[in-house]
Amino acid sequence: MGMKATEALDISYDDLPMYLHANHSVYMDVDGASYYLTDVNDRYWRVQDTSQINEKGHYVDCSPLVPTVSEFLELPINGIDRSVKDLFDSATFYASEKK
């Protein structure tokens, strides 16, 4: 997992899938919460809650793993029952910078 950039991205919803394919992850801040949208070995996608850390020191998953970005963006996030697509207009996105 990378570090959250300080400067927000200027990105459209239509550009988000290509951004994710190229960069593998992005932070999404919405409604006072921060989520990490990321791939798993370039094969599956998931949303992680950055306020929770598991025993391995990683963010806790808050969505099931799915194989396509399009499915991932429309999948409800556990606990809020809204998808990235639903939240996009009220969210701010930040690059995930490598350490």
Side-chain angles (χ1 to χ4, degrees):
M1 98 185 113
M3 301 294 293
K4 182 176 157 185
T6 56
E7 193 168 319
L9 292 171
D10 182 17
I11 192 167
S12 71
Y13 181 77
D14 291 337
D15 291 336
L16 188 56
M18 289 300 287
Y19 182 89
L20 286 168
H21 278 296
N23 296 284
H24 307 280
S25 59
V26 69
Y27 283 88
M28 177 180 79
D29 287 2
V30 63
D31 298 332
S34 185
Y35 300 95
Y36 191 56
L37 316 180
T38 187
D39 66 3
V40 181
N41 300 327
D42 295 326
R43 299 186 68 198
Y44 292 94
W45 296 90
R46 65 182 169 197
V47 177
Q48 296 180 310
D49 183 343
T50 66
S51 71
Q52 298 181 46
I53 304 293
N54 66 19
E55 65 281 351
K56 294 181 181 180
H58 298 171
Y59 300 136
V60 174
D61 290 355
C62 57
S63 75
L65 296 173
V66 293
T68 66
V69 171
S70 59
E71 182 180 6
F72 164 70
L73 295 175
E74 295 189 18
L75 191 69
I77 298 168
N78 297 345
I80 60 173
D81 296 324
R82 295 172 62 201
S83 67
V84 172
K85 183 178 182 178
D86 296 335
L87 297 167
F88 185 87
D89 288 337
S90 59
T92 304
F93 293 85
Y94 297 87
S96 175
E97 298 176 337
K98 303 301 177 205
K99 298 178 185 179

